[in-house]
């Protein structure tokens, strides 16, 4: 007896063709997943965030904050490697935050992009102190 597996028509419809996922897609997924973790104040170093805020003020240079700031990825056909640069809130356990970021990023990328995440490297570039003004508050005051 022969089992009908769809081979007569080239396989299951969901497996016909190829899906390509751009690096920026994985960068956005990883950036959003990292920002969702309690204790993460921002992504990117102070310099990168300053350049981004200057770029946001320029007419026609894009709208809003870049989700990919502080995120760098390498994406292959089956796997991805992710580098993140984060700023944490003062008082949190950096190792706990880094672990939670890794778990959240790996889960999101593997679920949404279908790529095995082989590593998530995290650089903590700064700590947001309670008495430091937010960039947003400072920009609003200057206007």
């Amino acid at each position: 007896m022969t089992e009908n597996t769809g081979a007569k028509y080239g396989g299951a419809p969901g497996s016909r063709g190829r899906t390509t996922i751009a690096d920026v897609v994985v960068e956005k997924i990883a950036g959003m997943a990292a920002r969702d973790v309690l204790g993460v104040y921002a992504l990117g170093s102070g310099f990168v965030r300053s350049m981004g805020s200057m770029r946001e003020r320029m007419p026609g240079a894009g709208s809003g904050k870049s989700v990919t700031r502080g995120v760098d990825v390498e994406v292959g056909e089956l796997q991805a490697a992710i580098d993140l640069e984060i700023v944490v809130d003062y008082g949190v356990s950096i190792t706990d935050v880094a672990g939670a970021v890794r778990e959240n990023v790996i889960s999101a990328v593997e679920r949404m992009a279908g790529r095995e995440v082989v590593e998530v490297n995290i650089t903590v570039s700064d700590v947001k102190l309670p008495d430091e003004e937010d960039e947003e508050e400072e920009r609003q005051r200057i206007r």
Side-chain angles (χ1 to χ4, degrees), residues 61-83:
S63 60
K65 294 181 180 178
S66 173
V67 176
T68 61
R69 188 178 304 148
V71 182
D72 188 35
V73 301
E74 291 180 38
V75 182
E77 287 187 32
L78 302 173
Q79 297 178 326
I82 301 166
D83 294 323

Side-chain angles (χ1 to χ4, degrees), residues 52-112:
S53 68
M54 285 176 28
R55 207 174 27 250
E56 289 166 12
R57 288 184 223 158
M58 298 173 64
S63 60
K65 294 181 180 178
S66 173
V67 176
T68 61
R69 188 178 304 148
V71 182
D72 188 35
V73 301
E74 291 180 38
V75 182
E77 287 187 32
L78 302 173
Q79 297 178 326
I82 301 166
D83 294 323
L84 299 170
E85 187 170 1
I86 66 172
V87 177
V88 297
D89 291 318
Y90 177 79
V92 300
S93 166
I94 294 173
T95 54
D96 290 349
V97 170
V101 167
R102 273 191 191 89
E103 287 180 26
N104 213 31
V105 167
I106 290 170
S107 174
V109 171
E110 288 184 349
R111 182 176 48 83
M112 288 194 253

Side-chain angles (χ1 to χ4, degrees), residues 10-143:
S15 66
R16 296 181 198 171
R18 190 176 70 183
T19 302
T20 303
I21 299 174
D23 289 5
V24 71
V25 173
V26 175
E27 286 176 351
K28 287 182 178 184
I29 293 168
M32 291 299 293
R35 281 177 175 79
D36 284 345
V37 174
L38 189 62
V40 174
Y41 173 73
L43 268 65
S45 67
F47 177 74
V48 171
R49 290 194 325 267
S50 327
M51 293 305 293
S53 68
M54 285 176 28
R55 207 174 27 250
E56 289 166 12
R57 288 184 223 158
M58 298 173 64
S63 60
K65 294 181 180 178
S66 173
V67 176
T68 61
R69 188 178 304 148
V71 182
D72 188 35
V73 301
E74 291 180 38
V75 182
E77 287 187 32
L78 302 173
Q79 297 178 326
I82 301 166
D83 294 323
L84 299 170
E85 187 170 1
I86 66 172
V87 177
V88 297
D89 291 318
Y90 177 79
V92 300
S93 166
I94 294 173
T95 54
D96 290 349
V97 170
V101 167
R102 273 191 191 89
E103 287 180 26
N104 213 31
V105 167
I106 290 170
S107 174
V109 171
E110 288 184 349
R111 182 176 48 83
M112 288 194 253
R115 300 296 185 265
E116 175 192 10
V117 178
V118 292
E119 64 182 7
V120 176
N121 300 310
I122 299 172
T123 301
V124 179
S125 62
D126 203 355
V127 174
K128 167 65 170 81
L129 300 175
D131 60 343
E132 290 178 336
E133 289 187 18
D134 288 339
E135 290 175 17
E136 294 295 319
E137 292 173 10
E138 189 174 312
R139 259 190 266 145
Q140 289 174 359
R141 191 178 64 209
I142 294 173
R143 292 182 184 183

